[in-house]
Amino acid sequence: MNIQIFGTNKCFDTKKAERYFKERRIPYQRIDLARYGMSPKEFDAVLQAVGGIDQLIDWDSKDPDLLLLKYTDDVRTKEDKVFDNHKLMRTPVVRNGKLATCGYCPEVWAQWK
């Protein structure tokens, strides 16, 4: 397994995901979204794996840019806005090759081999 955890230092779900993989002695790579972000190819791969931009957006976020996304139907606009503003993503984003999840999903990670 080649696990990558994209998250922020203040996100409790990111810390829980790190603890999940540490407890099972599964090596992972931690990437700080605030500092490094995601490359365009990684972002596209995550979008494809999670089922689209609406799954990746944190609809409970208090970011003012979220209001724009709630009322727009243009997928490309949503993708560009989320790519530019990592605070709109539901974290952690956990990748294992071509598989990915957003949010804390231990039941999905347990099925990864």
mmCIF file of all heavy atoms in Angstrom, residues 73-94:
data_model
loop_
_atom_site.group_PDB
_atom_site.id
_atom_site.type_symbol
_atom_site.label_atom_id
_atom_site.label_comp_id
_atom_site.label_asym_id
_atom_site.label_seq_id
_atom_site.Cartn_x
_atom_site.Cartn_y
_atom_site.Cartn_z
ATOM 1 N N ASP A 73 -24.046 25.676 -10.707
ATOM 2 C CA ASP A 73 -24.167 24.339 -11.281
ATOM 3 C C ASP A 73 -22.968 23.987 -12.151
ATOM 4 O O ASP A 73 -22.848 22.846 -12.586
ATOM 5 C CB ASP A 73 -25.440 24.231 -12.120
ATOM 6 C CG ASP A 73 -26.691 24.300 -11.262
ATOM 7 O OD1 ASP A 73 -26.631 23.883 -10.105
ATOM 8 O OD2 ASP A 73 -27.718 24.773 -11.774
ATOM 9 N N ASP A 74 -22.096 24.943 -12.386
ATOM 10 C CA ASP A 74 -20.942 24.725 -13.257
ATOM 11 C C ASP A 74 -19.871 23.925 -12.515
ATOM 12 O O ASP A 74 -19.263 24.415 -11.556
ATOM 13 C CB ASP A 74 -20.384 26.071 -13.732
ATOM 14 C CG ASP A 74 -19.266 25.896 -14.740
ATOM 15 O OD1 ASP A 74 -19.219 24.841 -15.395
ATOM 16 O OD2 ASP A 74 -18.450 26.828 -14.863
ATOM 17 N N VAL A 75 -19.644 22.712 -12.946
ATOM 18 C CA VAL A 75 -18.696 21.809 -12.292
ATOM 19 C C VAL A 75 -17.277 22.364 -12.365
ATOM 20 O O VAL A 75 -16.518 22.298 -11.389
ATOM 21 C CB VAL A 75 -18.767 20.398 -12.931
ATOM 22 C CG1 VAL A 75 -17.701 19.491 -12.375
ATOM 23 C CG2 VAL A 75 -20.144 19.802 -12.724
ATOM 24 N N ARG A 76 -16.905 22.905 -13.511
ATOM 25 C CA ARG A 76 -15.541 23.422 -13.687
ATOM 26 C C ARG A 76 -15.263 24.581 -12.730
ATOM 27 O O ARG A 76 -14.174 24.687 -12.173
ATOM 28 C CB ARG A 76 -15.335 23.865 -15.137
ATOM 29 C CG ARG A 76 -13.921 24.145 -15.473
ATOM 30 C CD ARG A 76 -13.131 22.838 -15.499
ATOM 31 N NE ARG A 76 -11.741 23.125 -15.243
ATOM 32 C CZ ARG A 76 -10.858 22.266 -14.823
ATOM 33 N NH1 ARG A 76 -11.211 21.029 -14.597
ATOM 34 N NH2 ARG A 76 -9.628 22.588 -14.620
ATOM 35 N N THR A 77 -16.246 25.437 -12.504
ATOM 36 C CA THR A 77 -16.089 26.547 -11.559
ATOM 37 C C THR A 77 -15.869 26.019 -10.149
ATOM 38 O O THR A 77 -15.007 26.506 -9.417
ATOM 39 C CB THR A 77 -17.333 27.461 -11.584
ATOM 40 O OG1 THR A 77 -17.522 27.939 -12.907
ATOM 41 C CG2 THR A 77 -17.192 28.614 -10.629
ATOM 42 N N LYS A 78 -16.653 25.010 -9.772
ATOM 43 C CA LYS A 78 -16.492 24.408 -8.450
ATOM 44 C C LYS A 78 -15.101 23.801 -8.296
ATOM 45 O O LYS A 78 -14.433 23.981 -7.272
ATOM 46 C CB LYS A 78 -17.539 23.309 -8.227
ATOM 47 C CG LYS A 78 -18.930 23.805 -8.002
ATOM 48 C CD LYS A 78 -19.862 22.628 -7.774
ATOM 49 C CE LYS A 78 -21.287 23.046 -7.593
ATOM 50 N NZ LYS A 78 -22.180 21.901 -7.368
ATOM 51 N N GLU A 79 -14.660 23.051 -9.305
ATOM 52 C CA GLU A 79 -13.339 22.414 -9.243
ATOM 53 C C GLU A 79 -12.229 23.447 -9.111
ATOM 54 O O GLU A 79 -11.320 23.275 -8.299
ATOM 55 C CB GLU A 79 -13.115 21.548 -10.480
ATOM 56 C CG GLU A 79 -13.970 20.311 -10.523
ATOM 57 C CD GLU A 79 -13.832 19.539 -11.816
ATOM 58 O OE1 GLU A 79 -13.067 19.958 -12.701
ATOM 59 O OE2 GLU A 79 -14.502 18.501 -11.944
ATOM 60 N N ASP A 80 -12.308 24.518 -9.892
ATOM 61 C CA ASP A 80 -11.277 25.555 -9.823
ATOM 62 C C ASP A 80 -11.244 26.225 -8.460
ATOM 63 O O ASP A 80 -10.175 26.482 -7.906
ATOM 64 C CB ASP A 80 -11.503 26.613 -10.911
ATOM 65 C CG ASP A 80 -11.242 26.084 -12.312
ATOM 66 O OD1 ASP A 80 -10.557 25.037 -12.432
ATOM 67 O OD2 ASP A 80 -11.726 26.699 -13.275
ATOM 68 N N LYS A 81 -12.425 26.499 -7.909
ATOM 69 C CA LYS A 81 -12.505 27.176 -6.612
ATOM 70 C C LYS A 81 -11.948 26.293 -5.500
ATOM 71 O O LYS A 81 -11.197 26.761 -4.639
ATOM 72 C CB LYS A 81 -13.961 27.534 -6.333
ATOM 73 C CG LYS A 81 -14.133 28.587 -5.297
ATOM 74 C CD LYS A 81 -13.545 29.873 -5.775
ATOM 75 C CE LYS A 81 -14.300 31.044 -5.254
ATOM 76 N NZ LYS A 81 -13.590 32.286 -5.489
ATOM 77 N N VAL A 82 -12.279 25.005 -5.512
ATOM 78 C CA VAL A 82 -11.800 24.086 -4.477
ATOM 79 C C VAL A 82 -10.300 23.844 -4.635
ATOM 80 O O VAL A 82 -9.575 23.761 -3.644
ATOM 81 C CB VAL A 82 -12.590 22.760 -4.513
ATOM 82 C CG1 VAL A 82 -11.988 21.731 -3.575
ATOM 83 C CG2 VAL A 82 -14.040 23.016 -4.155
ATOM 84 N N PHE A 83 -9.824 23.751 -5.868
ATOM 85 C CA PHE A 83 -8.387 23.557 -6.095
ATOM 86 C C PHE A 83 -7.594 24.742 -5.557
ATOM 87 O O PHE A 83 -6.530 24.570 -4.972
ATOM 88 C CB PHE A 83 -8.100 23.354 -7.583
ATOM 89 C CG PHE A 83 -6.653 23.119 -7.889
ATOM 90 C CD1 PHE A 83 -6.075 21.901 -7.597
ATOM 91 C CD2 PHE A 83 -5.874 24.115 -8.449
ATOM 92 C CE1 PHE A 83 -4.734 21.663 -7.864
ATOM 93 C CE2 PHE A 83 -4.534 23.895 -8.718
ATOM 94 C CZ PHE A 83 -3.963 22.667 -8.426
ATOM 95 N N ASP A 84 -8.121 25.948 -5.728
ATOM 96 C CA ASP A 84 -7.425 27.150 -5.265
ATOM 97 C C ASP A 84 -7.562 27.383 -3.763
ATOM 98 O O ASP A 84 -6.709 28.024 -3.158
ATOM 99 C CB ASP A 84 -7.946 28.389 -6.008
ATOM 100 C CG ASP A 84 -7.580 28.369 -7.483
ATOM 101 O OD1 ASP A 84 -6.604 27.670 -7.842
ATOM 102 O OD2 ASP A 84 -8.279 29.035 -8.271
ATOM 103 N N ASN A 85 -8.636 26.885 -3.145
ATOM 104 C CA ASN A 85 -8.884 27.108 -1.726
ATOM 105 C C ASN A 85 -9.054 25.767 -1.020
ATOM 106 O O ASN A 85 -10.138 25.194 -1.009
ATOM 107 C CB ASN A 85 -10.136 27.980 -1.546
ATOM 108 C CG ASN A 85 -10.373 28.372 -0.118
ATOM 109 O OD1 ASN A 85 -9.670 27.942 0.792
ATOM 110 N ND2 ASN A 85 -11.388 29.190 0.096
ATOM 111 N N HIS A 86 -7.993 25.274 -0.407
ATOM 112 C CA HIS A 86 -8.019 23.952 0.239
ATOM 113 C C HIS A 86 -8.976 23.911 1.425
ATOM 114 O O HIS A 86 -9.389 22.829 1.850
ATOM 115 C CB HIS A 86 -6.618 23.562 0.688
ATOM 116 C CG HIS A 86 -6.124 24.377 1.843
ATOM 117 N ND1 HIS A 86 -6.409 24.056 3.130
ATOM 118 C CD2 HIS A 86 -5.395 25.512 1.886
ATOM 119 C CE1 HIS A 86 -5.868 24.948 3.935
ATOM 120 N NE2 HIS A 86 -5.247 25.851 3.196
ATOM 121 N N LYS A 87 -9.369 25.051 1.966
ATOM 122 C CA LYS A 87 -10.275 25.066 3.117
ATOM 123 C C LYS A 87 -11.671 24.576 2.761
ATOM 124 O O LYS A 87 -12.464 24.273 3.637
ATOM 125 C CB LYS A 87 -10.353 26.469 3.702
ATOM 126 C CG LYS A 87 -9.057 26.919 4.321
ATOM 127 C CD LYS A 87 -9.153 28.334 4.828
ATOM 128 C CE LYS A 87 -7.798 28.780 5.342
ATOM 129 N NZ LYS A 87 -7.824 30.199 5.732
ATOM 130 N N LEU A 88 -11.967 24.493 1.477
ATOM 131 C CA LEU A 88 -13.275 24.005 1.040
ATOM 132 C C LEU A 88 -13.322 22.482 0.922
ATOM 133 O O LEU A 88 -14.390 21.915 0.724
ATOM 134 C CB LEU A 88 -13.641 24.638 -0.308
ATOM 135 C CG LEU A 88 -13.798 26.154 -0.305
ATOM 136 C CD1 LEU A 88 -13.990 26.659 -1.723
ATOM 137 C CD2 LEU A 88 -14.952 26.569 0.578
ATOM 138 N N MET A 89 -12.162 21.814 1.034
ATOM 139 C CA MET A 89 -12.104 20.347 0.918
ATOM 140 C C MET A 89 -12.461 19.692 2.244
ATOM 141 O O MET A 89 -12.102 20.181 3.303
ATOM 142 C CB MET A 89 -10.692 19.888 0.552
ATOM 143 C CG MET A 89 -10.318 20.069 -0.852
ATOM 144 S SD MET A 89 -8.716 19.299 -1.129
ATOM 145 C CE MET A 89 -8.100 20.338 -2.420
ATOM 146 N N ARG A 90 -13.126 18.563 2.126
ATOM 147 C CA ARG A 90 -13.391 17.742 3.306
ATOM 148 C C ARG A 90 -12.129 16.942 3.575
ATOM 149 O O ARG A 90 -11.692 16.153 2.739
ATOM 150 C CB ARG A 90 -14.577 16.813 3.029
ATOM 151 C CG ARG A 90 -15.106 16.153 4.252
ATOM 152 C CD ARG A 90 -16.473 15.592 4.011
ATOM 153 N NE ARG A 90 -16.563 14.900 2.735
ATOM 154 C CZ ARG A 90 -17.118 13.707 2.582
ATOM 155 N NH1 ARG A 90 -17.621 13.080 3.598
ATOM 156 N NH2 ARG A 90 -17.170 13.152 1.398
ATOM 157 N N THR A 91 -11.519 17.156 4.716
ATOM 158 C CA THR A 91 -10.253 16.493 5.028
ATOM 159 C C THR A 91 -10.469 15.420 6.073
ATOM 160 O O THR A 91 -11.419 15.492 6.840
ATOM 161 C CB THR A 91 -9.216 17.524 5.528
ATOM 162 O OG1 THR A 91 -9.758 18.239 6.622
ATOM 163 C CG2 THR A 91 -8.812 18.472 4.432
ATOM 164 N N PRO A 92 -9.616 14.431 6.137
ATOM 165 C CA PRO A 92 -8.445 14.205 5.310
ATOM 166 C C PRO A 92 -8.826 13.569 3.973
ATOM 167 O O PRO A 92 -9.812 12.848 3.879
ATOM 168 C CB PRO A 92 -7.621 13.216 6.128
ATOM 169 C CG PRO A 92 -8.642 12.413 6.864
ATOM 170 C CD PRO A 92 -9.758 13.393 7.179
ATOM 171 N N VAL A 93 -8.012 13.840 2.983
ATOM 172 C CA VAL A 93 -8.117 13.141 1.710
ATOM 173 C C VAL A 93 -7.043 12.061 1.756
ATOM 174 O O VAL A 93 -5.861 12.367 1.864
ATOM 175 C CB VAL A 93 -7.893 14.086 0.512
ATOM 176 C CG1 VAL A 93 -7.901 13.305 -0.783
ATOM 177 C CG2 VAL A 93 -8.947 15.167 0.489
ATOM 178 N N VAL A 94 -7.468 10.806 1.743
ATOM 179 C CA VAL A 94 -6.536 9.683 1.860
ATOM 180 C C VAL A 94 -6.504 8.954 0.529
ATOM 181 O O VAL A 94 -7.537 8.525 0.027
ATOM 182 C CB VAL A 94 -6.955 8.728 3.002
ATOM 183 C CG1 VAL A 94 -5.977 7.579 3.120
ATOM 184 C CG2 VAL A 94 -7.068 9.473 4.313
#
